[in-house]
Amino acid sequence: MPESEVPSNAAEVAAAAPAPGGGRGPDEVALDMMKFIAVTTGYGKGSPSSAGFSGKPSNKSAEEQADVLIELFKRCRRVVKED
């Protein structure tokens, strides 16, 4: 996959990482996976800002949103470190 191409799924994010001992550590891979999931699903976002189907609005504070994203990062770390 070329460097300028954005991975289209979580498997590609994990596959794009160099082998252990390479330039990227497991935390960096987990962070990329967390970003991918959060951006593509809207995970951890507050109230939606776009038109269209958006489900029920969220009343989460910024601190609650941060906590949700931190928990997602921890889950991604566990997945990456299992390999």
Side-chain angles (χ1 to χ4, degrees):
M1 172 171 55
E3 263 187 56
S4 61
E5 188 176 322
V6 176
S8 62
N9 60 43
E12 287 182 11
V13 171
R24 295 178 50 175
D27 284 347
E28 292 176 82
V29 175
L31 182 61
D32 284 345
M33 186 179 294
M34 184 216 60
K35 288 180 198 175
F36 173 80
I37 293 168
V39 168
T40 58
T41 65
Y43 192 85
K45 283 203 174 193
S47 58
S49 60
S50 61
F53 180 77
S54 60
K56 64 181 183 180
S58 173
N59 295 326
K60 291 181 182 176
S61 69
E63 186 174 327
E64 290 170 322
Q65 291 175 31
D67 288 340
V68 167
L69 291 172
I70 290 168
E71 185 58 36
L72 176 60
F73 175 69
K74 289 177 183 178
R75 290 174 63 190
C76 290
R77 282 179 66 188
R78 284 193 299 267
V79 169
V80 169
K81 290 185 179 190
E82 284 180 4
D83 289 339

